[in-house]
Amino acid sequence: RSLPKARIVYCSATGASEVKHLAYMVRLGLWGNGTQFQTFHEFNRAVEKGGVGAMELVAMDMKLRGLYISRQLSFTNVHFQIQEIPLTQAYIEVYNTSCGLWIECKKKFLEAMKLLDFDNRKFKVIMALFWAAHQRFFKYLCIASKVQGAVRIVKQAIRENKCVVIGLQSTGESRLMDVLEEKGGELSEFVSSAKGVLVNLIQKHFPAPYVKSKVTHEVPDKPGELSDSTPGSNPEKDSALDSDNSNTDLSEVNWETVPPLDYEDSTYRRYISSSDTTDGEDMNPFAEGSVPWIANKKTKKLKLEMEDSTTPQAEHSSPIPVAKQPELKKRVRTDPRDVYQRTKDMKQELLDKVEEISVFLPNNTLDELIDCLGGPNQVSEMTGRKGRVVTETNVTAEIEPGIKYELRSCLDVPIDLLNMEEKRKFMDGEVNIAIISEAASSGISLHADKRYKNQKQRLHITLELPWTADKAIQQFGRTHRSNQVVPPQYLFLISELAGERRFASVIARRLENLGALTRGDRKAAGVESSDFTRFNFDTRDGLLALDSLLRCLVGKVSPLASSLSSANEERVRTAIEALITVELISRTPKGKLKLDRELLSVSKFLNRLLGIEVELQNTIFIWFLDTFDFLVRQAKRLGRWDDGIVEMGTTAGEEVERIRMEEFLGDPLFGTGTTRLSTIRVSRGLSWEEVLNRLPTEDSPLVSEDEGLYLSLKDVRGKFYCLLVLSTTDPGMFVVYRPNIGRVNTLMKYSDLQQTYRKVTLEEARPHWIDLYNQSLTKCRHTYFHGECRINSPDNPCQVGLRSSTKYVLSGSVLGVWSHLCKALTHDLTGNFYIQVVRLYTTESQKEIGILIPTSRVEALRETLEKVN
C-alpha cells in the first residue's frame, strides 16, 4: 500500500493447499475494487463453493494472464506405494481395553461435572479438551501398531542394499520430560506417549473442585485476567485444600467458612483469555473444529459470602455469572465435603486404572524404533528433541541391560548443528537409517546426491501421517531432489484400523487441493495422489454417505449399503450403542435415538470412530464405505461425479470437432484476456469391425480366458447390454468397451462382471452390438432401452449414451466473468454449483482447457456474456 507502483513478486517454496494461503497475495488482482470480488472473503467463499474444479480454474486463469508460474521436480520413475500393516491379536486386546477405559473416563467426567453443576460453557470447554486428548491417544496407538512392521521392512531394505528414511511428526519429548521430573531423572522403562496423554487429561482437567478459604474475592473485569483474589494467582493466599493434594486432612478444614465449590482450571482460564484471538485448530493440530468459546462480556465484581442457602447473596455464589440463577441455589445446597470427596475418589480411580493398563500400552514410537533398529549408533536421528531413552550397552554378564535417559549431545551444541552432524553420518554412509521429524522436514537434503559417498537408493517410509499435505510434500522433498543418482521409493504405512483413514483422508483432500491451486490439475500434486484418492472421504458425497448411514441407524431411512441391510439386528444394536458412547448418536430423555445433523462431519465421524473396539470399528466403517461407494456410483450415472480434469479426444474411437467459437471480452482489469464459448461435437463408440480388430487372434492369443464379449444376464424389453472385455496388467481388472461410448473410463473387477454379465460367442453378440451402435447415433440410452426418456426436452435434449453429442466449453479468462458463470451454473438456493473442467484434443490437433457448460444453461450464459461484451 505504501508503494503502489512497486513491482511485486510472490515466491514460495511450498504450494498452496487451500485458498486462504493466497490471502497475502493482494497484488495479483484476483479481488478488490473493479474485480468480480470486492474482498478476499468473497473470493475465498466463491472458490470454495466451486470445489476443487474452481481451484483448478484459478491457477489456469493466472497462468493465462502471465501472473503465475509453477515448477517442481519431476516424479518420473519415483515409486509410490501404500501398504497396510495387519494388527496382532495382542495389540487388538490392548486397543479394545483402552476403548473401555476411555468410556469409563467419559462417564466419570460427566458425573463429576454434574456434581459440580457445570454450566453449558464450562461443559463445552472440558469436553473439547476430552475429545482432543481422545484423538491424540488413539493416534499414538495407530502409529504404534505399525512399528514392528516398519522394522521388518527396514531390515529387508538394508539387505537389498538400500538406505531408509523414516518420517515422523512428533517425538513425545514433552511426556518424557514430565516423567523425568516425576521420577527425579531416573527411568526403569521406556515412556508411553499414549499413557501421558490420558494421565495429563485426568490430572490437569478432571472436574475436581478447587476449594477456596477466602470468603471474598473479585471477578476480573476481563475474562482470563487474574487478580490477587483469584485462585491460582497467589498460592500463598489460596486454601491449602487442593484436589491434587492427597495429604489434606479434611477434618482440619472449617467447612462453615468455605464458599460454594467451583471449578478453577488454568486451561479453562487460557481458553477464556484467548477467546477472541485463538483458533482451536491452531492450538491443537488434532482438534475437530473450533473450541466453543465463552462470550467476551464485561463482568462485575461480586462479593461472595457463605451464608444460609435461602439468602439472596447465595444466588450469586458463582464467580462467573450464568443465566439461570435457580441452578446456582442448587449448587449452594450441595454439601461441599461430599462433592469434594466423591470427585477426588473418581479422579484417583481413573489414575489407578490407567496404571493397571499402562504396562500394556506401547512405548514412545521414536525410542522404540531406534532401539529395535540397533540403537543410536545405527540410526541418525534428526529431530528437535534434546534427549532420548536408550538401552544401556555398558553392561557385564552379571548386570542385565537397563534403561537410561541420555542427552543427544554431551556438549552444549545447538539442535541444528547436531542434526547436521547426524545428516553427515547418513550421507557419508556411516549409518544406513535416518529418522526425521517435523523439525527436520525442511532445509535438510537426504537424497542419493552425486556429491556424497552414500548413493544408495532411498526408501522413504512415512510412519506417521502429517496433518497437512504441505508437510507431506516437505518430507518427500528430503529424499527427492535434483542431482540425485537414483530416485527414491515412497512407502506409506496404514494400519488396519478404520479410524486411521481419518488422517489419510485429510492428506488425500489436501493433495488434490495442492495440485489444483499450484498446477491447475488436482492430480498433479507431485506424488501419485491417485493412490490416495480412495482415502478421500471428506467430500460432499462423503458427508451424504455419513448422513445416510446414521439416519438409517436411528431408523429414519432405509439402508443404501447391502452390508448394512444384511447385518443381523444384534450387530446393529451393538454398533448403535458404541456410536452413542462416542456421541455420534444420542438418546432423548424418552429413550428415542437422535441425530444432530448440524454438527455432523466426516472428520468428526472418523475421529470418534477411533474410540470403538477394533472389530466393531471396522464393521461400521465398511457400512460407511459401502454407502459412500453407492452414492459415488449414483453420481457417476447422473453425470454429477467430479473426477478432476476430464480429457476428451484421447481415447480410441473418440473424436472432438470444434464447430463454432464465440469470443467475449473479459474484465478490463484482467488485461487482454478474453472468454471463449466453444460448441464442440464429440463422436465416440466402437463399431463391429473395430471389435473384431481388438479381439485376440491366432497370432495374439487370449491373455486371459475371461476376455471376450459379454451380454447382460437380464434383458430390458428384449434388448441386452453389450460389453467387450480385455485384460490389463492388474490381475482381476479389465478394460471395458461399449458399442455406444467406446472405452469406459474406469476398470471393472471380474467379480462385478460375473454378477451382471455372461460371456457369449461372436454370433450371439453381433446383432445386439450392431443394433445399439447404429441406434445410439440419434437415441439416448433411456429411449433405446425403455422406449422413452423422461428428461428429454426440445430445449435440453438428453445426451446420455449418445454416440454423437454436442457439448459447450467455456475457456479463456474465466475469472473475468465469474459472477455471471456462477449464476449460470447454480442449481439450488445454497449457492453451490458443480464445475467440470475438461481438456480437449480436437481433430485439428488443437488443445484447450475449459469448463463444461450444461446445455440447459448455455443460452442464459450467452445472453449474459453478450451484455457484458
Side-chain angles (χ1 to χ4, degrees):
R1 292 175 182 174
S2 300
L3 301 171
K5 295 184 179 181
R7 299 189 178 195
I8 302 295
V9 176
Y10 297 109
C11 296
S12 175
T14 57
S17 62
E18 292 185 62
V19 183
K20 66 182 182 182
H21 295 161
L22 303 176
Y24 69 94
M25 302 183 184
V26 294
R27 291 292 187 93
L28 292 179
L30 298 178
W31 60 89
N33 294 331
T35 68
Q36 295 284 306
F37 315 100
Q38 291 301 308
T39 64
F40 174 76
H41 176 70
E42 291 182 12
F43 172 77
N44 184 35
R45 185 172 55 184
V47 176
E48 286 184 345
K49 283 183 178 180
V52 184
M55 296 182 186
E56 292 169 328
L57 284 178
V58 170
M60 291 188 292
D61 200 281
M62 288 193 295
K63 174 71 174 176
L64 176 68
R65 293 186 282 127
L67 293 177
Y68 181 70
I69 187 169
S70 175
R71 293 290 183 268
Q72 72 178 29
L73 192 63
S74 170
F75 276 74
T76 304
N77 298 325
V78 175
H79 184 65
F80 185 87
Q81 182 183 358
I82 297 175
Q83 183 171 331
E84 195 170 81
I85 303 296
L87 303 177
T88 64
Q89 187 58 39
Y91 175 85
I92 292 175
E93 292 175 0
V94 173
Y95 194 98
N96 292 345
T97 304
S98 300
C99 291
L101 179 57
W102 274 93
I103 292 173
E104 179 67 20
C105 186
K106 177 170 170 276
K107 288 180 180 178
K108 287 197 175 345
F109 265 70
L110 294 176
E111 185 179 350
M113 285 190 283
K114 185 177 180 181
L115 283 172
L116 291 168
D117 198 20
F118 268 26
D119 59 52
N120 188 51
R121 296 171 298 176
K122 291 182 181 179
F123 176 85
K124 287 183 177 180
V125 169
I126 295 301
M127 292 312 296
L129 290 165
F130 177 89
W131 289 117
H134 179 274
Q135 186 179 350
R136 287 197 301 273
F137 177 91
F138 284 105
K139 183 176 184 181
Y140 283 132
L141 288 194
C142 290
I143 299 169
S145 68
K146 300 176 287 186
V147 170
Q148 293 306 317
V151 170
R152 289 192 295 270
I153 293 171
V154 169
K155 291 181 178 179
Q156 178 62 32
I158 297 299
R159 287 193 289 270
E160 295 173 357
N161 198 33
K162 298 177 183 177
C163 282
V164 181
V165 176
I166 303 176
L168 294 171
Q169 294 300 308
S170 54
T171 62
E173 185 178 29
S174 59
R175 171 57 185 166
L176 177 59
M177 293 297 101
D178 291 341
V179 174
L180 284 172
E181 185 178 351
E182 293 172 8
K183 299 187 176 182
E186 297 294 331
L187 290 177
S188 59
E189 59 185 359
F190 283 101
V191 175
S192 171
S193 298
K195 175 187 175 183
V197 170
L198 185 50
V199 169
N200 182 73
L201 173 70
I202 297 171
Q203 287 183 340
K204 295 185 178 180
H205 309 303
F206 187 82
Y210 189 105
V211 183
K212 302 170 284 293
S213 60
K214 290 184 67 63
V215 178
T216 304
H217 71 263
E218 295 178 347
V219 174
D221 292 334
K222 294 182 180 180
E225 185 177 281
L226 298 179
S227 64
D228 290 339
S229 56
T230 305
S233 62
N234 194 337
E236 295 180 0
K237 294 184 180 181
D238 287 341
S239 170
L241 181 57
D242 191 321
S243 60
D244 291 329
N245 187 355
S246 58
N247 297 322
T248 301
D249 186 357
L250 301 185
S251 62
E252 297 178 358
V253 179
N254 183 3
W255 291 97
E256 295 300 326
T257 61
V258 174
L261 298 175
D262 189 29
Y263 179 76
E264 296 290 343
D265 184 272
S266 57
T267 303
Y268 178 57
R269 292 184 175 281
R270 289 198 300 273
Y271 268 58
I272 300 173
S273 62
S274 55
S275 60
D276 294 326
T277 59
T278 308
D279 186 287
E281 190 171 326
D282 291 337
M283 284 201 314
N284 173 17
F286 307 116
E288 300 162 346
S290 58
V291 177
W293 241 246
I294 295 175
N296 186 17
K297 297 180 179 180
K298 290 270 185 176
T299 58
K300 59 182 179 179
K301 298 180 180 181
L302 299 174
K303 185 177 181 181
L304 305 179
E305 298 180 359
M306 186 61 182
E307 300 187 9
D308 185 84
S309 60
T310 59
T311 60
Q313 289 87 342
E315 296 181 5
H316 303 285
S317 57
S318 173
I320 299 180
V322 293
K324 298 181 179 180
Q325 296 301 331
E327 294 183 2
L328 299 181
K329 291 182 180 180
K330 185 187 298 183
R331 180 185 300 181
V332 174
R333 288 196 296 269
T334 304
D335 186 349
R337 286 165 291 193
D338 180 50
V339 173
Y340 173 80
Q341 192 60 54
R342 286 174 64 184
T343 53
K344 182 179 178 181
D345 290 344
M346 284 191 290
K347 181 175 181 179
Q348 190 58 47
E349 286 176 21
L350 286 177
L351 291 173
D352 292 341
K353 289 183 178 181
V354 174
E355 285 301 321
E356 291 177 11
I357 193 179
S358 63
V359 294
F360 304 105
L361 290 177
N363 298 327
N364 175 277
T365 301
L366 182 53
D367 290 329
E368 182 82 0
L369 273 174
I370 294 176
D371 189 63
C372 292
L373 294 173
N377 294 331
Q378 301 297 322
V379 180
S380 283
E381 177 189 339
M382 283 162 270
T383 66
R385 67 175 184 172
K386 298 178 181 179
R388 55 194 169 202
V389 181
V390 298
T391 302
E392 291 187 276
T393 55
N394 297 328
V395 296
T396 62
E398 295 79 14
I399 303 177
E400 296 183 359
I403 301 298
K404 70 174 183 178
Y405 173 80
E406 69 174 18
L407 294 174
R408 290 179 58 201
S409 174
C410 297
L411 302 175
D412 188 15
V413 179
I415 291 295
D416 291 343
L417 295 180
L418 183 58
N419 286 337
M420 293 306 294
E421 173 60 21
E422 294 289 330
K423 171 201 167 183
R424 185 201 61 77
K425 290 166 56 180
F426 179 75
M427 297 299 285
D428 286 348
E430 296 179 18
V431 296
N432 289 317
I433 305 169
I435 299 179
I436 61 176
S437 70
E438 183 181 354
S441 294
S442 59
I444 290 182
S445 301
L446 301 175
H447 61 300
D449 198 321
K450 296 178 182 179
R451 298 168 296 179
Y452 287 85
K453 182 179 180 181
N454 184 358
Q455 298 181 3
K456 298 178 183 177
Q457 185 180 30
R458 270 52 169 171
L459 173 63
H460 191 139
I461 300 175
T462 299
L463 188 64
E464 180 182 356
L465 291 172
W467 192 246
T468 66
D470 313 42
K471 293 179 180 178
I473 297 296
Q474 277 283 5
Q475 280 208 350
F476 294 160
R478 299 314 99 211
T479 52
H480 181 48
R481 306 179 77 81
S482 58
N483 200 44
Q484 62 189 7
V485 177
V486 58
Q489 294 180 342
Y490 290 114
L491 180 62
F492 270 71
L493 300 185
I494 303 287
S495 71
E496 288 181 338
L497 288 165
E500 195 179 16
R501 268 62 175 179
R502 154 64 164 147
F503 310 108
S505 176
V506 172
I507 294 298
R509 179 172 60 86
R510 295 291 180 85
L511 281 174
E512 287 189 349
N513 293 353
L514 186 67
L517 282 173
T518 57
R519 310 285 289 176
D521 187 350
R522 71 194 69 183
K523 299 176 182 178
V527 300
E528 297 172 31
S529 57
S530 56
D531 287 350
F532 258 128
T533 315
R534 58 193 172 106
F535 294 112
N536 188 11
F537 310 113
D538 201 358
T539 62
R540 176 180 174 274
D541 292 291
L543 185 58
L544 289 175
L546 175 59
D547 181 65
S548 175
L549 171 63
L550 297 183
R551 289 177 66 201
C552 172
L553 292 175
V554 299
K556 299 291 185 181
V557 296
S558 300
L560 297 179
S562 58
S563 56
L564 178 55
S565 58
S566 61
N568 63 68
E569 293 183 6
E570 181 62 31
R571 191 64 170 168
V572 173
R573 281 196 296 269
T574 306
I576 291 173
E577 292 302 322
L579 291 172
I580 290 174
T581 61
V582 293
E583 296 185 3
L584 289 171
I585 296 176
S586 59
R587 288 189 189 276
T588 64
K590 295 183 179 180
K592 293 184 178 180
L593 296 175
K594 177 185 175 183
L595 176 63
D596 193 345
R597 299 174 69 186
E598 293 182 0
L599 300 178
L600 203 61
S601 70
V602 176
S603 59
K604 179 179 179 180
F605 167 69
L606 294 176
N607 285 344
R608 301 292 175 84
L609 206 60
L610 288 166
I612 299 176
E613 294 185 358
V614 174
E615 184 181 358
L616 189 56
Q617 176 185 142
N618 291 339
T619 298
I620 296 172
F621 183 76
I622 288 173
W623 294 345
F624 166 74
L625 191 59
D626 288 350
T627 305
F628 178 77
D629 290 340
F630 176 87
L631 291 174
V632 168
R633 290 195 300 270
Q634 187 180 55
K636 289 181 177 179
R637 284 198 300 270
L638 297 175
R640 293 189 295 102
W641 176 248
D642 185 5
D643 195 26
I645 296 180
V646 174
E647 296 188 343
M648 294 183 176
T650 57
T651 58
E654 185 178 58
E655 294 182 351
V656 175
E657 179 185 3
R658 194 199 309 270
I659 57 180
R660 182 185 179 187
M661 185 179 73
E662 303 166 80
E663 192 168 87
F664 305 91
L665 293 177
D667 194 313
L669 290 177
F670 290 167
T672 58
T674 59
T675 305
R676 297 180 296 277
L677 181 61
S678 300
T679 304
I680 62 171
R681 180 183 291 117
V682 180
S683 302
R684 54 187 181 173
L686 201 67
S687 66
W688 182 250
E689 290 73 20
E690 291 173 314
V691 170
L692 296 178
N693 292 333
R694 292 178 184 278
L695 282 172
T697 61
E698 294 181 359
D699 298 330
S700 57
L702 290 170
V703 177
S704 167
E705 60 181 13
D706 298 318
E707 287 185 320
L709 290 161
Y710 286 76
L711 291 180
S712 56
L713 294 174
K714 297 180 180 181
D715 68 294
V716 181
R717 300 174 68 247
K719 298 178 179 179
F720 293 86
Y721 288 92
C722 311
L723 298 180
L724 169 63
V725 175
L726 299 177
S727 297
T728 67
T729 56
D730 189 357
M733 302 296 291
F734 293 88
V735 177
V736 175
Y737 293 86
R738 295 183 183 273
N740 55 330
I741 64 173
R743 178 170 175 169
V744 179
N745 290 331
T746 57
L747 300 179
M748 179 178 282
K749 294 181 181 179
Y750 182 68
S751 57
D752 295 338
L753 184 67
Q754 281 184 312
Q755 290 178 5
T756 51
Y757 292 91
R758 61 185 176 89
K759 192 174 182 182
V760 296
T761 62
L762 283 172
E763 291 74 19
E764 188 176 357
R766 184 176 181 275
H768 300 286
W769 191 282
I770 294 176
D771 184 56
L772 178 55
Y773 179 81
N774 292 333
Q775 296 285 342
S776 62
L777 185 62
T778 57
K779 292 182 180 179
C780 70
R781 189 180 67 193
H782 311 113
T783 304
Y784 176 78
F785 283 103
H786 302 282
E788 62 177 355
C789 179
R790 297 179 179 178
I791 64 175
N792 190 40
S793 67
D795 297 331
N796 185 23
C798 177
Q799 299 189 27
V800 176
L802 277 179
R803 187 154 59 86
S804 180
S805 58
T806 302
K807 299 185 183 297
Y808 302 89
V809 176
L810 188 71
S811 57
S813 183
V814 178
L815 286 182
V817 293
W818 186 268
S819 60
H820 313 297
L821 178 65
C822 293
K823 293 177 183 178
L825 297 182
T826 299
H827 287 268
D828 50 49
L829 296 177
T830 62
N832 295 322
F833 54 91
Y834 168 70
I835 289 181
Q836 177 62 68
V837 181
V838 295
R839 182 182 285 117
L840 307 177
Y841 296 88
T842 68
T843 53
E844 296 84 11
S845 300
Q846 294 178 336
K847 184 173 70 173
E848 189 159 355
I849 298 178
I851 306 173
L852 194 64
I853 305 297
T855 305
S856 60
R857 311 277 172 167
V858 170
E859 284 305 319
L861 178 62
R862 181 183 284 120
E863 291 177 5
T864 303
L865 293 177
E866 287 176 349
K867 291 179 181 179
V868 174
N869 201 32

